[in-house]
């Protein structure tokens, strides 16, 4: 499909924009319309069957029915379940408004179970309260809600746009308030912009975060269409998210992406047991602590774990089958039949789900107040996306209602939509079309979510989480390279970008909270204890003005309902800034982190990058066929001059593969090609063929000309080829010491060493880049007639790696008395690299100076220093003192040190 122009966008306008047509979104739209607002409801699928609710609902988990439960008891229950980290004012909204919502839903036609007297048949599942209200026909809830949306009076105020997927919320450049959104049609690919008075995000959880045990991308516990869209949109709009380190992990049926449904089975007499038939759960709520107990049982010799139903009478089993095989998951009966299982004879093996982010079933979501307002003005969040812990279905309806009511007071934005934000969203949506042959979305998503399982899933450690952050940073580039050809594939590619954002939030948040809390949800092996003194705080994250992810520890506000064991005092928030990663690049501790490498300023390309779509050009197919026949240069020349850069790049690759006569000068000529891809291919071919290409004036001229090309990759390759083919001189190489690129200057140093140009080399001892100065130190030791004097400025260099390299060079250039004294003094340097270099340099010093100093250095704390000491002592092993010292090193704790000492 073609990429639509930004100017061709379909622009929609409304007072209230609702994003997501599931539980909370449907209620938000209905309430906003009832308050007189013009509502636009966007759904990337179809509202009739979108959201988790459309999969069926067997009951309400948190119905606070008068006479059966008290709101304060429910608030206390949720506070305990979430280890005290709650804003009770939000939880209380569900507790006090939930029963009215049940009655409202009932007026729509939703059926709740009642007893013979017409009273709500609330069941007790938890030990401290009765909150579960079964829904015998819960499979029809979404159908009932859709019928409400299509009532005539609602149709006049609610416009539904199915198959439209927003990717970014637009915010006002003046005051940061939400003013609309940008998206596209998931069937046609059309570009869509929306101006609105307020925006309500109701996109559900991030269920497609971890990878299910089956490896199937969409075999998730949560509805797999919930890919974290709202989390990413809220983050990029500047809203605060909170509790992202508190994962959702659920018990489920082994090998089946559905819940084991103990909520349904427990009132009938079902319960969880280990393989010995013993009940083992001590926790009184579906919380992280319960999941920790569950995981421990699975990992013990008492596993597997089962939902026990086989002891129940026929009437109970039949009732359970009716609910579980129709309302909760229609495929569940088929699954059990395929295994030959019957609840009457087989208990249900259980396992643990992949991790996800969900406010409604744990705590991770967008921060909201008790009216569903986020920290961005006129931006709201409701449902599983909002951080109202353990809010479930009724909470989603309640906060959808709150959001719709509050947002209805705003009229449509009338100003110009911010062009930079619109352009950025356009690029996010359509960039896969520019690269149709790029990696397909399923492969990239699988890799991303495998990293989530490998490094982010609990139990967590700082090292693994830091590796996760590095992996997600790398994958930003891979995600940008994904290819697509249809609007549906564009949707899936956008979802992968949302999943990546959520994965980074999860990893960084888990790093920032340096304690364990919520049982399995946030189990840190390196911080195993709960720390209420330092961490009875919400952990908020937001996107800073610079684009970094920053954190704030926000104290829990004093409770409205006292709860034993927790006493939050409120107070000021603690700004944490960006989270520090744990060093994981090398095994063992570092004495000092390596200094950052200076980056050269990018040089703009002379021409735009070629379209990747031309990879299927018929000219390339012709060329591939021609290359099989070992063509001469004349046959390849027309392709080398083809107008299509992709064809020219393919021709250069063929030239490097077939190497006809004249290939060298032809490759050198392509170093000046206008297209970066062609230049890079030519540079790679020259490096590969440098040993076999005949040198000559034509090739030399081409390589010298390439030293003026703005592309640093080209200049590096040209210097390397000139040096290897002996086609340059000291004057030519010395000129490149002034190059802006560090890598080019390093190649210039190597080239000067090849012609023994010591005076020119010495001038580079003042280069601003440490890497170049290190190369100079090593180069001065590699010339044919080395001497220590040119090393003087490097021996006094401020950088320890440069000093270490210069001291090590003394082993080759010689270490006369004055330099030996310098090396002996350097054995006491704070940097181990300097001490190791000094030890190496003393191998060339007089034994009477070197051996006593080296013997003392055998006690150095750093194993690499001790290894360098032993190697130097081996150079002096003709002396008895050196042999005695080496004998003491054969018991060194480091294997290398012991092995080298044993050689004496």
């Amino acid at each position: 499909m073609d990429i639509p122009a930004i100017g061709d966008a379909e622009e929609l306008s409304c007072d209230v924009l609702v994003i997501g047509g599931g539980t909370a979104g449907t209620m938000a739209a209905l309430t906003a319309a009832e308050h007189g607002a013009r509502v636009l409801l966007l759904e990337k699928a179809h509202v009739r069957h979108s959201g988790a609710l459309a999969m069926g609902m067997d009951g309400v988990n948190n119905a606070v029915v008068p006479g059966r439960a008290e709101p304060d008891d429910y608030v206390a229950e949720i506070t305990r379940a979430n280890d005290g980290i709650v804003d009770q004012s939000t939880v209380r909204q569900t507790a006090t408004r939930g029963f009215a919502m049940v009655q409202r839903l009932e007026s729509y036609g939703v059926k709740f179970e009642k007893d013979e007297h017409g009273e709500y048949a609330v069941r007790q599942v938890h030990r401290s309260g009765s909150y579960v209200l079964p829904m015998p026909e819960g499979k029809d809830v979404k159908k009932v809600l859709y019928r409400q949306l299509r009532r005539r009076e609602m149709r006049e105020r609610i416009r539904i746009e199915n198959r439209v997927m927003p990717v970014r919320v637009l915010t006002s450049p003046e005051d940061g308030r939400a003013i609309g959104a940008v998206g596209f049609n998931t069937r046609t690919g059309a570009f869509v912009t929306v101006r609105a008075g307020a925006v309500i995000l109701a996109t559900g959880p991030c269920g497609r975060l971890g990878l299910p045990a089956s490896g199937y991308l969409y075999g998730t516990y949560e509805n797999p269409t919930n890919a974290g869209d709202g989390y990413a949109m809220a983050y990029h709009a500047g809203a605060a998210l909170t509790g992202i380190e508190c994962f959702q992990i659920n018990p489920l049926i082994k090998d089946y992406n559905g819940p084991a449904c103990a909520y349904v089975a427990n009132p009938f007499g079902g319960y969880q047991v280990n393989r010995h038939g013993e009940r083992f759960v001590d926790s009184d709520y579906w919380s992280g602590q319960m999941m920790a107990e569950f995981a421990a049982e699975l990992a013990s010799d008492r596993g597997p774990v089962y939902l026990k139903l086989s002891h129940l009478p026929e009437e109970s089993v039949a009732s359970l089958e009716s609910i579980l095989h129709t309302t909760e998951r229609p495929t569940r009966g088929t699954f059990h039949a395929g295994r030959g299982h019957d609840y009457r004879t087989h208990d249900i093996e259980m396992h643990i789900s992949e991790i996800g982010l969900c406010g409604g079933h744990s705590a991770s979501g967008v921060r909201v107040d008790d009216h569903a307002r986020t920290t961005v003005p006129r931006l709201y969040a409701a449902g599983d996306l909002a951080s109202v812990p353990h809010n479930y279905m009724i909470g989603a309806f309640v906060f959808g209602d709150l959001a719709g009511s509050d947002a209805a007071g705003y009229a449509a934005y009338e100003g110009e939509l911010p062009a930079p934000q619109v352009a950025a969203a356009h690029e996010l949506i359509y960039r896969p079309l520019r690269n149709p042959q790029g990696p397909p979305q399923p492969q990239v998503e699988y890799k991303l979510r495998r990293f989530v399982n490998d490094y982010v899933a609990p139990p967590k450690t700082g090292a693994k989480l830091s590796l996760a952050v590095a992996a997600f940073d790398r994958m930003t580039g891979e995600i940008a390279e994904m290819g697509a050809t249809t609007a549906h594939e564009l949707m899936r590619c956008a979802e992968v970008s949302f999943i990546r954002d959520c994965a980074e939030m999860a990893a960084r948040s888990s790093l920032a909270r340096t304690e364990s809390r919520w049982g399995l949800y946030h189990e840190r092996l390196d911080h195993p204890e709960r720390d209420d003194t330092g961490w009875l705080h919400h952990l908020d994250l937001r996107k800073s003005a610079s684009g970094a992810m920053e954190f704030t520890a926000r104290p829990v506000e004093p409770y409205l309902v006292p709860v034993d064991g927790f006493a939050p005092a409120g107070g000021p928030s603690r700004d944490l800034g960006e989270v520090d990663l744990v060093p994981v690049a090398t095994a063992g501790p570092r004495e000092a982190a390596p200094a950052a490498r200076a980056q050269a300023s990018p040089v703009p390309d002379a021409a735009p990058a070629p379209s990747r779509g031309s990879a299927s050009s018929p000219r390339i197919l012709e060329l591939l066929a021609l290359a099989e026949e070992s063509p001469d240069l004349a046959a390849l020349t027309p392709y080398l001059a083809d107008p299509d850069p992709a064809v020219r790049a393919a021709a250069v690759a063929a030239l490097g593969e077939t190497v006809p006569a004249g290939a060298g000068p032809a490759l050198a000529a392509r170093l000046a090609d206008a297209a970066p891809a062609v230049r890079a291919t030519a540079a790679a071919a020259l490096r590969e063929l440098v040993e076999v290409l005949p040198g000559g004036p034509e090739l030399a001229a081409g390589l010298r000309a390439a030293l003026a090309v703005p592309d640093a990759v080209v200049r590096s390759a040209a210097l390397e080829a000139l040096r290897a083919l002996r086609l340059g001189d000291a004057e030519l190489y010395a000129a490149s010491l002034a190059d802006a690129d560090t890598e080019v200057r390093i190649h210039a140093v190597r080239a000067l060493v090849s012609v023994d140009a010591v005076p020119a080399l010495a001038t580079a001892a003042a280069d601003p880049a440490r890497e170049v100065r290190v190369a100079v130190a090593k180069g001065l030791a590699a010339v044919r007639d080395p001497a220590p004097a040119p090393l003087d400025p490097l021996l006094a260099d401020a950088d320890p790696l440069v000093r270490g390299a210069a001291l090590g060079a003394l082993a080759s250039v010689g270490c006369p008395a004055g330099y030996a004294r310098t090396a002996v003094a350097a054995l006491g340097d704070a940097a181990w690299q300097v001490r190791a270099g000094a030890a190496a340099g003393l191998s060339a010093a007089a034994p009477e100076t070197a051996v006593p100093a080296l013997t003392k250095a055998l006690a150095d704390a750093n194993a690499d220093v001790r290894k360098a000491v032993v190697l130097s002592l081996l150079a002096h092993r003709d002396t008895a003192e050196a042999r005695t010292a080496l004998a003491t090193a054969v018991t060194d704790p480091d294997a290398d040190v012991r092995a080298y000492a044993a050689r004496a």
Side-chain angles (χ1 to χ4, degrees):
M1 59 176 288
D2 294 328
I3 298 176
I6 293 179
D8 292 338
E10 178 186 359
E11 184 173 300
L12 306 174
S13 178
C14 61
D15 299 328
V16 176
L17 169 62
V18 180
I19 299 176
T23 310
T26 301
M27 187 58 68
L30 289 169
T31 298
E34 289 171 357
H35 282 72
R38 292 185 305 114
V39 180
L40 174 62
L41 176 58
L42 299 184
E43 168 56 53
K44 67 181 179 182
H46 194 291
V47 174
R48 184 194 300 272
H49 44 249
S50 64
L53 198 59
M55 301 170 69
M57 187 62 61
D58 51 56
V60 174
N61 297 341
N62 54 346
V64 183
V65 176
R68 299 300 303 273
E70 293 297 325
D72 283 2
D73 292 340
Y74 175 78
V75 171
E77 183 84 354
I78 298 301
T79 302
R80 285 190 291 269
N82 213 52
D83 279 0
I85 310 291
V86 297
D87 178 353
Q88 285 194 346
S89 67
T90 60
V91 176
R92 191 172 178 81
Q93 288 284 48
T94 298
T96 57
R97 293 171 174 263
F99 182 61
M101 183 56 66
V102 168
Q103 293 179 311
R104 180 176 175 179
L105 293 170
E106 196 169 39
S107 73
Y108 290 166
V110 177
K111 291 182 175 60
F112 297 95
E113 186 173 336
K114 295 184 178 180
D115 63 20
E116 294 82 355
H117 304 288
E119 301 293 333
Y120 293 102
V122 180
R123 307 289 177 85
Q124 181 169 355
V125 173
H126 313 299
R127 296 167 193 150
S128 58
S130 299
Y131 307 113
V132 175
L133 178 57
M135 299 167 65
E137 298 180 28
K139 64 182 183 300
D140 296 328
V141 176
K142 194 62 191 293
K143 182 168 65 177
V144 172
L145 290 172
Y146 187 69
R147 187 167 64 234
Q148 288 298 311
L149 287 172
R150 304 316 296 156
R151 284 166 43 214
R152 176 177 297 177
E153 59 269 35
M154 289 294 104
R155 287 204 307 268
E156 292 173 354
R157 304 210 65 86
I158 301 174
R159 175 177 177 178
I160 298 175
E161 288 290 337
N162 293 307
R163 313 294 179 188
V164 174
M165 177 185 185
V167 299
R168 288 291 185 264
V169 171
L170 296 175
T171 56
S172 168
E174 288 77 30
D175 56 15
R177 74 182 189 273
I179 58 173
V182 181
F184 69 104
N185 189 293
T186 61
R187 287 286 173 87
T188 68
F191 191 47
V192 178
T193 59
V194 182
R195 57 179 65 248
V199 179
I200 300 173
L201 292 172
T203 57
C206 182
R208 228 161 76 219
L209 183 64
L211 192 66
S214 67
Y216 176 48
L217 293 179
Y218 308 108
T220 53
Y221 178 91
E222 287 289 348
N223 186 333
T225 63
N226 295 329
D229 308 34
Y231 288 80
M233 283 189 278
Y235 173 73
H236 289 291
L241 293 92
T242 193
I244 303 300
E245 70 281 15
C246 180
F247 298 162
Q248 176 189 10
I249 307 172
N250 293 291
L252 76 168
I253 302 173
K254 183 74 166 64
D255 297 332
Y256 178 78
N257 63 318
C261 292
Y263 263 129
V264 179
N266 283 8
F268 287 90
Y271 50 85
Q272 297 163 89
V273 297
N274 59 27
R275 71 182 181 91
H276 302 301
E278 303 161 340
R279 282 184 277 214
F280 59 89
V281 175
D282 290 323
S283 295
D284 189 28
Y285 203 83
W286 283 109
S287 61
Q289 183 56 43
M290 178 179 285
M291 290 310 304
E293 296 174 15
F294 195 101
E297 202 74 8
L298 275 178
S300 75
D301 64 351
R302 298 179 299 278
V305 168
Y306 298 88
L307 178 63
K308 186 168 183 59
L309 303 175
S310 56
H311 65 294
L312 297 176
E314 172 59 28
E315 296 84 353
S316 298
V317 173
S319 296
L320 281 170
E321 284 180 331
S322 175
I323 297 171
L324 298 179
H325 296 180
T326 57
T327 300
E328 182 60 43
R329 289 288 193 278
T331 59
R332 182 168 175 150
T334 305
F335 169 79
H336 289 310
R339 295 287 179 99
H341 290 173
D342 187 303
Y343 297 159
R344 296 157 184 82
T345 55
H346 294 76
D347 297 317
I348 304 169
E349 185 180 353
M350 301 173 69
H351 203 63
I352 290 178
S353 73
E354 69 285 344
I355 66 171
L357 303 181
C358 181
H361 289 77
S362 58
S364 46
V366 179
R367 177 182 167 186
V368 294
D369 66 9
D370 54 7
H371 285 83
R373 306 180 189 113
T374 73
T375 57
V376 170
R378 304 194 188 184
L379 180 65
Y380 300 80
D384 284 342
L385 171 67
S387 181
V388 184
H390 299 279
N391 213 25
Y392 304 113
M393 184 187 78
I394 288 298
F397 280 132
V398 166
F399 272 82
D401 177 57
L402 289 167
S405 175
D406 204 75
Y410 299 110
Y413 178 73
E414 295 182 354
E416 287 294 320
L417 297 180
Q421 296 180 41
V422 173
H426 185 276
E427 172 64 16
L428 172 64
I429 294 167
Y430 297 109
R431 66 187 176 192
L433 294 179
R434 301 194 189 96
N435 188 29
Q437 305 302 319
Q441 163 263 331
Q443 292 182 12
V444 177
E445 183 176 334
Y446 183 93
K447 180 178 179 181
L448 171 64
R449 291 168 63 189
R450 184 179 61 80
F451 281 139
V452 171
N453 280 20
D454 288 348
Y455 297 131
V456 184
K460 311 172 188 179
T461 68
K464 289 199 297 182
L465 293 167
S466 298
L467 286 170
V469 171
F472 302 148
D473 283 345
R474 284 197 311 272
M475 288 208 67
T476 302
E478 297 178 36
I479 289 170
E481 289 294 315
M482 280 189 300
T485 58
T486 69
H488 180 82
E489 290 172 345
L490 289 179
M491 176 181 71
R492 291 294 184 230
C493 288
E495 288 176 339
V496 176
S497 75
F498 300 150
I499 296 169
R500 196 221 70 86
D501 287 343
C502 290
E504 182 180 357
M505 292 182 210
R508 289 187 183 272
S509 297
S510 297
L511 266 172
R513 184 176 285 277
T514 52
E515 64 156 358
S516 288
R517 190 175 289 270
W518 306 298
L520 190 64
Y521 295 169
H522 182 66
E523 181 187 357
R524 282 285 299 263
L525 296 179
D526 45 354
H527 297 282
E529 301 299 324
R530 196 176 85 185
D531 176 15
D532 283 346
T533 302
W535 275 111
L536 194 61
H537 289 66
H538 304 275
L539 181 65
D540 295 350
L541 71 85
R542 62 181 293 273
K543 184 178 182 181
S544 71
S546 66
M549 194 176 291
E550 293 184 341
F551 291 87
T552 300
R554 175 169 52 92
V556 174
E557 289 297 315
Y559 292 154
L560 303 172
V561 178
V563 177
D564 291 341
F566 302 101
S573 294
R574 188 169 73 242
D575 184 20
L576 304 178
E578 296 182 50
V579 66
D580 292 328
L581 303 185
V582 175
V584 290
T586 59
R590 284 199 187 98
E591 293 188 8
R597 174 175 174 170
Q599 297 293 325
S601 300
V603 179
D605 292 314
S611 167
R612 300 289 291 272
S614 60
S616 58
S617 165
R619 292 277 288 168
I620 292 180
L621 299 179
E622 294 172 10
L623 181 59
L624 293 175
L626 180 64
E628 293 294 322
E629 302 171 7
S630 300
D632 58 17
L633 182 60
L636 293 172
T637 298
Y639 298 94
L640 290 168
D642 194 278
D644 187 344
V647 175
R648 298 200 301 278
V652 170
L655 192 64
E657 183 178 335
T658 57
V659 200
L667 288 172
R670 288 300 101 199
L671 291 175
D673 196 283
V678 180
R679 298 196 301 270
T681 306
L686 275 169
R687 284 193 168 101
E688 180 182 344
L689 300 173
V690 70
E691 287 85 6
V692 299
L693 290 175
E698 189 178 1
L699 177 56
L703 293 173
R704 286 171 178 261
L707 294 176
V709 172
D711 190 335
V713 172
V714 167
R715 300 196 301 277
S716 293
L719 276 171
E720 189 172 347
L722 285 165
R723 173 184 59 80
L725 294 170
R726 302 288 176 181
L727 295 176
D729 53 43
E731 182 180 0
L732 177 70
Y733 300 148
S736 290
L737 289 175
D739 197 281
D741 185 83
T742 301
E743 202 69 35
V744 173
R745 300 200 301 279
I746 290 173
H747 280 290
V749 167
R750 296 187 64 202
L752 287 168
V753 172
S754 72
V755 294
D756 299 308
V758 173
L761 265 179
T763 65
D767 192 279
R770 178 182 72 192
E771 298 93 330
V772 176
R773 302 199 301 280
V774 169
V776 171
K778 294 178 178 178
L780 288 171
V783 295
R784 285 195 178 89
D785 190 16
L791 289 168
D792 287 349
L794 299 170
L795 289 168
D797 197 280
D799 190 286
L801 267 67
V802 177
R803 294 201 306 280
L807 287 161
L810 293 174
S812 299
V813 305
C815 190
Y819 291 92
R821 287 193 293 273
T822 299
V824 169
L827 287 174
D829 197 279
W832 72 265
Q833 297 94 335
V834 174
R835 302 199 302 275
L842 285 171
S843 66
E848 57 268 24
T849 301
V851 173
L854 290 170
T855 300
K856 292 180 181 178
L858 278 174
D860 196 283
N862 186 282
D864 287 316
V865 175
R866 299 199 304 276
K867 177 179 175 181
V869 168
V870 166
L871 290 173
S872 282
L873 284 170
L874 285 173
H876 297 292
R877 62 179 174 268
D878 289 341
T879 67
E881 293 84 355
R883 291 195 298 274
T884 300
L886 287 166
T888 67
V890 296
T891 58
D892 192 277
D894 183 82
D896 267 3
V897 175
R898 296 196 303 271
Y900 283 112
R903 292 185 178 183

